């Protein structure tokens, strides 16, 4: 085993989205993660496609266990008692009904009990269903997404499920691990996507206080309304991204495009006029032609790549930003460490519950 979390044991209860993603990150960092899997074939998603989430299960072993079977449940309990971290993403109360609630920490004082939900463990919404879009909707984040004159645009599931969910949970786990080195004791972590989404929007809250962020009717600086922070369609129907926020980048952009005599770019009433001028110019060449034009110009202009193109982008290849796991392309583990070598991602493997209990019992 290698990686900064080598030797750390994690039990991952069945879950979707942020739970397996968080455990993937822990496994990428070297933790020994055991994924509890419901017996039988994986159920397809609402679109009927099976195994669509399989890319989140890399670099760890899975054991089939039926939480309704007393023998399997006892085996899971044995694993949890010997684990450093438990990660679960059920609705509040489910783990308690299984007899695996936080009270188990009294028998395993070293345990870091990490709970991942959308609404949190308390509050009037705690027991209700929701998805990424719902968590963003009630935090003000969704309303802020998308340019003026358009409906709010859901940012895939990146902000609620993963940025505000799994990443927040991993931060909590790592903080609790550090605290345990001082105190010798674990603790329970209540990671809620509504909390995480709010934290990710701390800059926008600050801008709102300062007067930089206003209503979506007038548009805002980073929501696609500002012509110097937007995407533009090129002659071939593909896009370039412009992020010329600072004045020097803006001047380089304008000079390279050859669009002079533009209105004051900080007058929001002028944004549609400026945007139309930039769009007219970008529409005269293909995306890759503009990519070549701006390759050596410091103007924060880049081609908008799709996933297949991103995987073979020269800089991504130089950095090894993508790897193959079981014949599938997937993002490489990150971040990089100066001294610790991260383990190479591997395809998920199967083991028996008894095998893992025996292995963990022999060494702890």
């Amino acid at each position: 085993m290698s990686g900064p979390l080598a030797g750390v044991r994690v039990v991952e209860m069945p879950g979707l989205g942020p739970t397996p993603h968080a455990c993937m990150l822990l496994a990428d960092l070297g933790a020994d993660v055991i994924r509890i899997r419901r017996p039988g074939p994986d159920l397809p998603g609402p679109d009927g496609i099976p195994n669509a989430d399989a890319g989140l299960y890399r670099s760890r072993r899975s054991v089939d266990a039926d939480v309704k079977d007393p023998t399997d449940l006892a085996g899971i309990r044995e694993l949890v008692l010997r684990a450093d971290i438990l990660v679960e993403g059920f609705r509040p109360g489910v783990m308690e009904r299984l007899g695996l609630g936080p009270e188990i920490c009294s028998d395993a004082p070293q345990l870091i009990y990490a709970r991942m939900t959308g609404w949190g463990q308390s509050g009037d919404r705690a027991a209700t269903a929701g998805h990424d879009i719902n968590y963003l909707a009630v935090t003000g984040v969704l309303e802020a997404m998308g340019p003026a004159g358009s409906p709010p645009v859901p940012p895939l599931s990146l902000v609620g499920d993963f940025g505000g969910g799994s990443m927040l949970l991993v931060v909590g786990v790592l903080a609790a691990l550090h605290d345990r080195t001082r105190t010798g004791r674990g603790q329970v972590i209540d990671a809620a996507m509504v909390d995480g989404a709010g934290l990710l929007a701390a800059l926008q809250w600050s801008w709102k206080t300062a007067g930089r962020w206003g209503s979506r009717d007038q548009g805002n600086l980073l929501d696609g309304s500002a012509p110097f922070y937007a995407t533009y369609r090129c002659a071939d129907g593909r896009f370039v991204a412009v992020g010329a926020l600072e004045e020097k980048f803006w001047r380089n952009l304008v000079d390279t495009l050859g669009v002079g005599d533009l209105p004051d770019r900080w007058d929001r009433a002028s944004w549609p006029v400026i945007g139309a001028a930039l769009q007219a110019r970008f529409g005269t060449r293909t995306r890759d032609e503009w990519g070549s034009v701006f390759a050596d110009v410091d103007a924060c202009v880049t081609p908008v790549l799709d996933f297949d193109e991103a995987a073979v982008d020269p800089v991504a290849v130089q950095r090894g930003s993508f790897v193959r796991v079981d014949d599938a392309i997937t993002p490489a583990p990150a971040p990089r460490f100066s001294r610790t070598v991260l383990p190479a991602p591997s395809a998920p493997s199967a083991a028996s519950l008894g095998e893992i209990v025996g292995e963990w019992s022999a060494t702890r």
Side-chain angles (χ1 to χ4, degrees), residues 102-103 105 111-115 121 186-190:
E103 65 275 3
C105 295
L111 184 65
I112 294 166
Y113 195 112
R115 318 194 79 174
Q121 297 295 319
Q187 56 188 303
V188 180
I189 299 169
D190 176 3

Side-chain angles (χ1 to χ4, degrees), residues 44-55:
D47 54 6
I49 297 177
N51 301 319
D53 295 349

Side-chain angles (χ1 to χ4, degrees), residues 189-244:
I189 299 169
D190 176 3
M193 289 175 237
V194 288
D195 297 339
L199 279 174
L200 291 175
L203 179 63
Q204 279 66 43
W205 280 100
S206 179
W207 285 2
K208 182 177 182 296
T209 301
R212 178 179 284 174
W213 196 274
S215 70
R216 67 178 292 108
D217 293 340
Q218 65 177 6
N220 282 291
L221 193 57
L222 302 181
D223 63 4
S225 299
F228 44 85
Y229 200 88
T231 58
Y232 292 93
R233 185 184 296 271
C234 301
D236 56 353
R238 294 188 286 183
F239 295 85
V240 294
V242 173

